[in-house]
Amino acid sequence: MRTTVDSRALPQHVAIIMDGNGRWASKRLLPHNAGHRAGAQNLRKLSEEIERLGIKYLTVYALSTENWARPEKEVQGLIKLMHEYFQQYIDDSKKNDMKLTFIGDVSRFEPDLRQKIETLKTLTKEKKGLHVTLAINYGARDELARAARKLAEEGTYIDEETLTRTLDGFPTPDPDLLIRTGGEMRLSNFMLWQLAYAEMYFTDILWPDFGKKDLNAALEWFGGRARRFGGR
């Protein structure tokens, strides 16, 4: 049975800041990496629900440029988790229609992880289902700076159109809805350019606990918004 969300009011593109994994683990007296694993499992589950609803694009903040400052054990746990889940996505690509792309500077990762990223992009590039973008080693200021440097080196006149076309996720459309879990109410250097006109939904629910009914609540809230894009 489908949810009660009016399909006419669904966003085309949902972006999610998946916050609260560490606090979820701490509440259960578990290491932070147990929370990251629970969060990764939740992403897989909700991606399937988002695809079922008919939403076309999903972008999630998986690893920021600032996250490298976390304790080394936690960072290495995150890298290990990416290896594991990217392999699962590679295996899943044979039986589902989900497309995966990436934003962020992946050059920092070791060659075998970069190879899995390229393999995923190649295997899923013709898929027609939900388009999932993973933001890894991503920071919006870094993205904008890299794009500006590239255009300057090319001698290209920089305006809104050329800068937009040079950003990591182009031509994916801008998000319509941003969801941030975990109780914080800030963008944390996530898609600063692309979120200019997104509706922003904040919830105290920690990401591993954010389930289908919580997603449904966010979508219902979005459906009640009047989007004027600066007009009346």
Side-chain angles (χ1 to χ4, degrees), residues 44-99:
R44 286 175 63 84
K45 179 177 65 178
L46 284 187
S47 295
E48 293 173 358
E49 176 65 9
I50 287 170
E51 183 172 40
R52 188 187 73 81
L53 286 167
I55 294 168
K56 298 182 181 300
Y57 301 92
L58 171 66
T59 299
V60 296
Y61 209 3
L63 181 73
S64 76
T65 50
E66 293 81 13
N67 286 159
W68 298 96
R70 293 186 178 188
E72 183 177 355
K73 185 176 181 180
E74 182 176 353
V75 172
Q76 291 306 312
L78 284 165
I79 299 299
K80 180 180 178 182
L81 196 61
M82 282 194 285
H83 272 288
E84 178 181 331
Y85 273 84
F86 290 176
Q87 185 59 55
Q88 287 189 22
Y89 285 127
I90 288 170
D91 296 339
D92 288 349
S93 71
K94 302 169 186 175
K95 57 187 178 183
N96 69 32
D97 203 29
M98 196 174 293
K99 178 177 180 177

Side-chain angles (χ1 to χ4, degrees), residues 6-206:
D6 185 346
S7 61
R8 293 170 299 177
L10 283 172
Q12 177 182 217
H13 184 176
V14 175
I16 304 178
I17 300 176
M18 307 178 294
D19 198 12
N21 292 339
R23 281 171 285 158
W24 183 92
S26 295
K27 285 173 62 176
R28 291 160 177 77
L29 304 180
L30 297 170
H32 277 203
N33 282 324
H36 296 312
R37 180 169 295 278
Q41 293 168 350
N42 194 42
L43 173 59
R44 286 175 63 84
K45 179 177 65 178
L46 284 187
S47 295
E48 293 173 358
E49 176 65 9
I50 287 170
E51 183 172 40
R52 188 187 73 81
L53 286 167
I55 294 168
K56 298 182 181 300
Y57 301 92
L58 171 66
T59 299
V60 296
Y61 209 3
L63 181 73
S64 76
T65 50
E66 293 81 13
N67 286 159
W68 298 96
R70 293 186 178 188
E72 183 177 355
K73 185 176 181 180
E74 182 176 353
V75 172
Q76 291 306 312
L78 284 165
I79 299 299
K80 180 180 178 182
L81 196 61
M82 282 194 285
H83 272 288
E84 178 181 331
Y85 273 84
F86 290 176
Q87 185 59 55
Q88 287 189 22
Y89 285 127
I90 288 170
D91 296 339
D92 288 349
S93 71
K94 302 169 186 175
K95 57 187 178 183
N96 69 32
D97 203 29
M98 196 174 293
K99 178 177 180 177
L100 277 93
T101 54
F102 298 82
I103 58 174
D105 182 6
V106 301
S107 66
R108 179 161 182 174
F109 299 115
E110 61 269 28
D112 52 345
L113 187 58
R114 295 202 305 271
Q115 182 58 55
K116 284 182 178 177
I117 290 169
E118 290 304 315
T119 299
L120 264 175
K121 288 163 61 177
T122 299
L123 288 175
T124 67
K125 66 180 180 179
E126 301 299 331
K127 302 286 187 176
K128 304 301 182 183
L130 177 66
H131 181 169
V132 179
T133 300
L134 300 175
I136 55 174
N137 193 31
Y138 175 85
R141 291 180 174 180
D142 175 71
E143 177 187 36
L144 288 164
R146 285 188 284 107
R149 283 197 302 272
K150 183 173 186 289
L151 291 171
E153 289 168 359
E154 294 172 351
T156 303
Y157 177 73
I158 301 175
D159 57 14
E160 288 190 20
E161 181 180 357
T162 56
L163 186 56
T164 296
R165 293 176 64 88
T166 312
L167 295 178
D168 293 346
F170 184 81
T172 302
D174 291 344
D176 305 294
L177 171 64
L178 169 73
I179 299 171
R180 179 164 187 162
T181 62
E184 303 293 351
M185 300 177 69
R186 56 177 176 266
L187 294 180
S188 296
N189 200 18
F190 182 54
M191 301 186 81
L192 301 179
W193 183 271
Q194 299 92 331
L195 291 171
Y197 285 101
E199 302 296 325
M200 299 187 184
Y201 181 86
F202 300 100
T203 174
D204 291 336
I205 300 169
L206 304 177

